[in-house]
Amino acid sequence: MSIPAPKAQLILDYKFYFGVKPPNNRISLISHISKQSILYEIAALNYRLKPKNKISIDTSFETQVKELKYFTKTKAMFNKYSSIAEDLTKDKENYPIIFNRQGCLFAIEEIVNSTEMKEIDGFIMAKIEVWESIVKYFLAVNYAITRIKREKDDNNSNFESLNPKLLPLNELSIETDQIFTSYRGYWLIDYFLNQPDFSSELKGYFQETYGIEPQHFIFHLMSMYLANSNEKPEFNFFYQIQDGQENFFDKLSKRVDNQETHKLISIRKSPFIKVGDKKYLISDNTFLIEKAYSQLLNDFWFDWIKPIKDEKGKNKFNIQKYRSEFGYFFENYLSKIFRKSFENYKYSTLLMFDQLKINTVKGNLEIADIYLRYGNKIMLGQVKSGSIYDTQKFGGNVEHLYRNDRNAFFENFGVNQVIESIATMNTHIQKLDPKFRKGHSYEIYPCIIVNDKSFQTPLMPDTFNTRFQELITDFSIKKIRVNPLTVIHISDLERLEDLIRKNPKEIWQLLKYNHRDKRFAPPFYDTINRKNLDTQYPTKILELFKSLILKYNPNDTENAGE
């Protein structure tokens, strides 16, 4: 029986059209074009694929046709490049694509760091050969981003071996909610401001880097994301700012030398591109929002905390302490979501973190991180705030991803702990949940709650469940049924908070539906999407943003009241 693979779209590249690999120096295809002109076109394309008022990336059939017409300019050129796409198109639900966010980001990163590309005064775009060069370059970029390393065991490939090859490409297709991410970032900043070891450092970092107080940063990012308004919405990637705003925009357009284009370091750190006096392009609005959370964690560590020395000239902070502090934030933030989500769930029992610690003859024991019981249904989980290193993520094979130790990889990210939690729960949970009736039939929904977007990629949850099934093969406790493992990202719980609070029983339906096909475990966000559950932003988020407007832009009372 065949395994149901997640639906993926074929990305057409240079070799599809010309039968050969693109030139090693892709920039040679466009070096005759003015640098600003092509950056303008690719930034515009990226914005059209994912404008600020949308969360998902537009890869629709209609958009692909529309963009190909835009870039080819003439009917003859359109027919030339549409013919192969048409041959590979089965219908409007099953078709290849050329224009994609991943390609846009790679192209922008490569061009902004290119010393070969130059500004050309008076450059004229209205030449067919210019536009065809751009199309060829984009196809060459597609070849680069979809290139998969072949391995000796390729004939025996499966989802687990394919996963690391597609991981960087797949991660860039994951949606980022601008509201939830900014809200989470606000509370991350608030948490560090209340930690003695980091409070003064965080204030110093924001003052030195941006000239503002830490929580003003979130207001600035949201304003940059939402407030830019051109007469034509499709031009909102272009910013012409007012006097006095240059400092913040200049800081977020400062170029970072990057020789590893695929890591996108430059535009992740500086998502704006300065193209003139008070004129900027946004390379990617998702990267702008991620400056509030994931990129902030990265920047604060590498740009400020890591270089600090003590009186002996040694590093004052180590990465373990920094990650540990973030881990405490993550647990605290997650706890608030769970408490709010299930505050109206009558006859249920919710225990988390320290509430699940007990004393035994062998010492202190933590049963799990999350325990939710309603009747005979139990959600039992571990929480992991850690991330996959770039050396693992971009390695392209299982050896790099697992650091040559598959068992240790899954153990570090909680798979073994979940199984241990099931056994420990059965033995000890009555001490904490007196209404748990040992010896009765129970249904366990095991889960791992994560912070890193890498774990949301299409093949990662199934890979985790595969390892879970290996470890649980010989596991048996009478009258306890263990469901497949579910990997849940923090953003999934944010999306569900308001809905679950109104109908807490929905959680069991979602966990059950997540494993609707026993042959493949999808990302949890896919399950939420398929259930067509509308995302509602909790009132607490709207109240926070209102308070920021009133504090930092009190004249904008109209928006503050919305």
Side-chain angles (χ1 to χ4, degrees):
M1 183 180 294
S2 62
I3 300 176
K7 185 178 179 180
Q9 286 181 299
L10 174 66
I11 297 178
L12 298 180
D13 61 31
Y14 193 95
K15 196 172 182 180
F16 268 104
Y17 282 92
F18 305 107
V20 296
K21 297 179 182 179
N24 291 329
N25 179 14
R26 288 177 296 274
I27 292 294
S28 66
L29 295 169
I30 53 170
S31 57
H32 59 289
I33 302 174
S34 179
K35 188 172 186 177
Q36 278 193 12
S37 297
I38 192 168
L39 281 172
Y40 183 97
E41 292 298 339
I42 298 178
L45 168 63
N46 193 42
Y47 186 83
R48 292 194 296 269
L49 295 178
K50 199 279 177 192
K52 66 181 181 181
N53 62 337
K54 302 290 183 182
I55 293 176
S56 59
I57 302 162
D58 184 358
T59 57
S60 66
F61 180 83
E62 292 77 12
T63 292
Q64 291 296 308
V65 173
K66 181 180 177 181
E67 294 298 345
L68 188 58
K69 287 181 178 179
Y70 175 83
F71 280 96
T72 52
K73 299 302 180 187
T74 68
K75 184 175 181 180
M77 189 175 164
F78 174 81
N79 290 338
K80 175 181 177 181
Y81 286 96
S82 65
S83 58
I84 290 180
E86 288 175 359
D87 290 342
L88 295 168
T89 297
K90 295 181 179 179
D91 52 53
K92 289 189 177 182
E93 300 297 325
N94 192 345
Y95 53 90
I97 63 174
I98 295 176
F99 305 102
N100 58 91
R101 177 180 180 241
Q102 298 94 321
C104 290
L105 298 179
F106 187 99
I108 294 171
E109 180 79 12
E110 184 168 61
I111 294 169
V112 296
N113 282 288
S114 171
T115 57
E116 191 176 343
M117 294 290 294
K118 305 294 182 184
E119 306 300 340
I120 302 175
D121 292 336
F123 182 79
I124 299 174
M125 286 288 292
K127 296 178 181 178
I128 295 303
E129 57 268 26
V130 169
W131 290 97
E132 182 154 23
S133 294
I134 295 175
V135 173
K136 288 181 177 179
Y137 171 70
F138 206 87
L139 291 170
V141 166
N142 281 351
Y143 181 84
I145 65 173
T146 57
R147 185 173 54 189
I148 295 177
K149 295 180 180 179
R150 294 193 62 84
E151 299 178 29
K152 294 179 180 179
D153 65 343
D154 266 359
N155 290 331
N156 298 315
S157 63
N158 53 29
F159 286 163
E160 184 167 1
S161 64
L162 191 60
N163 179 37
K165 300 175 184 180
L166 298 177
L167 182 55
L169 188 69
N170 284 337
E171 186 179 8
L172 292 174
S173 69
I174 304 300
E175 299 171 358
T176 295
D177 187 291
Q178 61 269 30
I179 303 299
F180 286 128
T181 304
S182 300
Y183 180 79
R184 197 187 322 141
Y186 176 91
W187 289 112
L188 172 64
I189 289 173
D190 182 80
Y191 179 85
F192 273 111
L193 285 174
N194 286 285
Q195 304 310 307
D197 288 338
F198 292 101
S199 179
S200 61
E201 301 299 346
L202 189 69
K203 293 175 183 176
Y205 166 73
F206 277 105
Q207 189 60 47
E208 180 72 20
T209 307
Y210 301 108
I212 58 176
E213 60 184 34
Q215 289 168 334
H216 195 177
F217 182 68
I218 300 298
F219 172 80
H220 262 305
L221 289 183
M222 289 298 290
S223 296
M224 297 169 96
Y225 187 95
L226 296 172
N228 191 46
S229 181
N230 286 286
E231 187 176 337
K232 293 184 177 180
E234 62 268 28
F235 293 148
N236 281 336
F237 71 95
F238 176 75
Y239 288 65
Q240 185 154 6
I241 64 173
Q242 299 175 354
D243 290 337
Q245 297 180 319
E246 299 96 313
N247 180 62
F248 203 73
F249 275 86
D250 285 346
K251 291 291 186 181
L252 291 180
S253 58
K254 184 179 180 181
R255 295 276 61 85
V256 178
D257 184 46
N258 175 30
Q259 301 303 314
E260 298 176 291
T261 304
H262 58 284
K263 293 185 178 181
L264 308 175
I265 294 172
S266 182
I267 59 175
R268 285 183 188 274
K269 284 185 67 67
S270 302
F272 281 98
I273 304 166
K274 190 169 186 176
V275 293
D277 183 32
K278 300 185 183 68
K279 296 178 181 179
Y280 302 82
L281 307 176
I282 180 70
S283 61
D284 186 71
N285 50 38
T286 295
F287 283 172
L288 176 62
I289 288 299
E290 289 178 348
K291 290 286 288 185
Y293 185 68
S294 55
Q295 191 61 43
L296 172 59
L297 271 175
N298 195 70
D299 292 344
F300 185 44
W301 168 254
F302 283 105
D303 297 345
W304 191 266
I305 295 296
K306 185 179 180 181
I308 296 176
K309 305 295 180 183
D310 61 18
E311 61 278 3
K312 296 181 180 179
K314 296 182 179 180
N315 291 336
K316 183 177 180 180
F317 299 97
N318 59 55
I319 189 64
Q320 288 76 20
K321 178 176 175 57
Y322 188 68
R323 286 193 183 126
S324 176
E325 205 64 72
F326 172 70
Y328 287 127
F329 157 77
F330 191 69
E331 291 180 2
N332 182 268
Y333 182 79
L334 180 65
S335 295
K336 291 178 180 178
I337 293 177
F338 263 88
R339 289 193 190 98
K340 196 67 177 177
S341 297
F342 298 104
E343 65 181 1
N344 299 322
Y345 200 6
K346 291 183 178 181
Y347 313 115
S348 69
T349 299
L350 174 64
L351 301 171
M352 295 178 289
F353 302 111
D354 287 346
Q355 294 175 317
L356 288 164
K357 292 180 179 178
I358 59 172
N359 291 318
T360 70
V361 293
K362 296 182 180 180
N364 289 332
L365 184 67
E366 184 178 77
I367 294 175
D369 288 331
I370 302 291
Y371 171 87
L372 173 69
R373 184 184 61 78
Y374 178 77
N376 69 336
K377 297 183 180 69
I378 298 172
M379 180 181 183
L380 194 68
Q382 291 291 332
V383 174
K384 294 298 173 182
S385 61
S387 300
I388 297 175
Y389 292 109
D390 279 357
T391 52
Q392 299 171 267
K393 187 183 299 182
F394 294 102
N397 55 48
V398 291
E399 288 76 18
H400 280 92
L401 179 61
Y402 298 154
R403 290 182 165 185
N404 294 309
D405 193 336
R406 180 176 183 267
N407 294 344
F409 175 83
F410 289 109
E411 185 172 4
N412 290 339
F413 286 109
V415 178
N416 299 55
Q417 285 177 280
V418 172
I419 292 176
E420 293 167 5
S421 291
I422 297 171
T424 307
M425 180 212 71
N426 186 61
T427 304
H428 296 287
I429 196 63
Q430 277 184 309
K431 299 173 184 177
L432 303 174
D433 178 11
K435 293 185 179 180
F436 176 89
R437 296 187 294 175
K438 190 172 182 180
H440 286 243
S441 296
Y442 285 92
E443 188 171 10
I444 308 292
Y445 292 86
C447 63
I448 298 176
I449 301 172
V450 296
N451 174 66
D452 190 351
K453 287 177 70 174
S454 298
F455 297 116
Q456 290 183 285
T457 52
L459 302 179
M460 191 68 82
D462 188 72
T463 300
F464 267 66
N465 183 51
T466 296
R467 178 56 178 161
F468 179 77
Q469 297 303 327
E470 292 172 0
L471 294 174
I472 210 168
T473 299
D474 299 322
F475 181 89
S476 177
I477 298 178
K478 289 183 179 180
K479 296 187 177 182
I480 286 187
R481 180 183 173 220
V482 181
N483 285 289
L485 178 68
T486 299
V487 177
I488 303 174
H489 189 263
I490 184 65
S491 62
D492 299 325
L493 296 172
E494 290 170 329
R495 288 180 62 188
L496 290 172
E497 179 182 328
D498 202 58
L499 179 139
I500 295 296
R501 187 178 62 82
K502 295 173 182 175
N503 182 20
K505 292 182 181 180
E506 185 74 32
I507 189 65
W508 309 114
Q509 298 176 32
L510 287 166
L511 291 170
K512 178 72 73 175
Y513 186 63
N514 194 62
H515 298 284
R516 54 197 173 273
D517 192 319
K518 301 302 180 185
R519 298 168 296 170
F520 181 78
F524 199 57
Y525 72 80
D526 180 70
T527 292
I528 298 173
N529 291 343
R530 285 176 181 269
K531 293 282 280 186
N532 294 318
L533 301 175
D534 292 333
T535 297
Q536 298 291 328
Y537 296 116
T539 303
K540 64 182 181 182
I541 297 181
L542 304 180
E543 289 176 347
L544 172 64
F545 290 152
K546 177 181 176 180
S547 72
L548 291 177
I549 293 172
L550 291 173
K551 181 176 182 179
Y552 297 115
N553 190 17
N555 293 326
D556 193 2
T557 53
E558 181 180 348
N559 286 334
E562 289 180 354

